[in-house]
Amino acid sequence: MKGLYILGLLIITCCSVAEDKHIVQDEYVGEWEWYLTAGGWSHPISTDTAGYDMTLQVYNQNLAKWFKDDSLLNRYEILYDNNRRENNLVMYKIGHKESCGFRLNLQEENELHLTSANCTDLPTHFFRRAMK
């Protein structure tokens, strides 16, 4: 009987941990097309002036991949920032949680802005949901 009780507690604990693993809401998941980087100390650059395209692929497994002209630039893990009430999803390069990171700011349903999470005077990257 005691063994069944312990087994039940293990199952409940494991299910709770599994539920917490997926923090990225469905509104963020999918492919996003970059169109502008502006602000901070840099000059604005857009798809019209850059000579390249970038996309961001966000997955509900708390992962994201950033591509430049179909080549992978970086892989990111998405973490929940308990210290903020709004814009509490932060994207860090995998293995670099001490870096600046990007705060995911969803603007309506088709616009995503990546602002600096922990550093100042860095530009914001602007994305639109990719058309299917």
Side-chain angles (χ1 to χ4, degrees):
M1 186 69 159
K2 188 175 182 180
L4 286 175
Y5 176 74
I6 292 172
L7 179 62
L9 284 176
L10 282 172
I11 290 172
I12 290 170
T13 302
C14 291
C15 290
S16 297
V17 169
E19 288 174 10
D20 291 340
K21 285 187 176 185
H22 299 287
I23 60 170
V24 177
Q25 296 93 348
D26 289 341
E27 302 89 58
Y28 293 89
V29 174
E31 185 172 320
W32 299 87
E33 296 174 339
W34 169 78
Y35 69 91
L36 177 66
T37 296
W41 291 102
S42 66
H43 296 286
I45 187 166
S46 69
T47 52
D48 297 334
T49 60
Y52 55 83
D53 291 319
M54 292 195 292
T55 57
L56 181 71
Q57 185 70 44
V58 178
Y59 304 93
N60 64 358
Q61 294 86 8
N62 307 333
L63 296 172
K65 293 180 182 177
W66 195 323
F67 296 90
K68 179 179 176 182
D69 286 337
D70 298 323
S71 294
L72 181 64
L73 281 176
N74 285 304
R75 291 179 37 209
Y76 296 87
E77 60 184 325
I78 300 172
L79 303 174
Y80 188 81
D81 183 354
N82 291 322
N83 298 322
R84 296 194 45 124
R85 287 187 218 170
E86 297 178 12
N87 306 330
N88 49 16
L89 294 179
V90 181
M91 205 171 75
Y92 293 101
K93 286 183 187 177
I94 292 181
H96 294 89
K97 291 180 194 172
E98 69 283 350
S99 66
C100 292
F102 296 102
R103 194 165 301 286
L104 281 72
N105 300 302
L106 192 61
Q107 308 291 315
E108 301 185 15
E109 63 184 48
N110 294 319
E111 184 95 14
L112 181 65
H113 299 174
L114 300 183
T115 58
S116 175
N118 304 316
C119 299
T120 59
D121 298 326
L122 293 180
T124 299
H125 305 281
F126 298 86
F127 291 82
R128 290 187 188 115
R129 187 170 299 279
M131 297 296 172
K132 294 182 180 184

